[in-house]
Amino acid sequence: MVFEALVAELLNRGLGDYVENLDKSQLKLGIWGGNVVLDNLKIKENALNDLDVPFKVKAGQIDKLTLKIPWKNLYSEAVVASLDGLNLLVVPEGSHSQQFPGH
């Protein structure tokens, strides 16, 4: 559907600094209910860079991201995001990935 591709493009612009490229196959749209659901999002390794924290993402995934979008009142109501299944593996900043013997 063309609309799903458009929504995926808009979400890439907004979430692109934090998650790998979205595509329309990850979207479940409930336009009239105001929900956009994204499944299995891979978090980018540089997702936390702007937060000035002493660690970085080594690997990460969001199992499900739900955005409740007030389509009729976009300028007066908030978009609410909820996460289900946030998995992050973080390592201290500046650490080198260690390999186990034999790998």
Side-chain angles (χ1 to χ4, degrees):
M1 177 186 260
V2 174
F3 185 71
E4 288 174 337
L6 176 62
V7 171
E9 176 61 27
L10 291 172
L11 289 171
N12 267 321
R13 290 182 192 171
L15 299 174
D17 289 343
Y18 309 103
V19 297
E20 296 292 333
N21 285 336
L22 301 169
D23 62 55
K24 64 182 181 179
S25 70
Q26 293 170 291
L27 290 175
K28 293 179 188 168
L29 298 174
I31 299 304
W32 305 119
N35 291 337
V36 175
V37 178
L38 300 153
D39 293 319
N40 302 317
L41 299 174
K42 183 179 176 188
I43 298 173
K44 289 183 174 181
E45 289 188 7
N46 63 353
L48 302 178
N49 287 359
D50 292 342
L51 298 179
D52 196 30
V53 292
F55 50 84
K56 63 181 180 178
V57 175
K58 186 69 177 168
Q61 178 175 320
I62 299 169
D63 292 338
K64 181 177 168 182
L65 170 64
T66 304
L67 301 171
K68 182 158 178 63
I69 302 171
W71 295 108
K72 294 180 182 178
N73 300 310
L74 282 174
Y75 297 106
S76 61
E77 292 184 28
V79 173
V80 177
S82 61
L83 298 173
D84 184 22
L86 173 62
N87 302 294
L88 283 177
L89 174 60
V90 296
V91 295
E93 186 65 47
S95 72
H96 300 286
S97 67
Q98 297 179 359
Q99 293 205 348
F100 296 101
H103 287 83

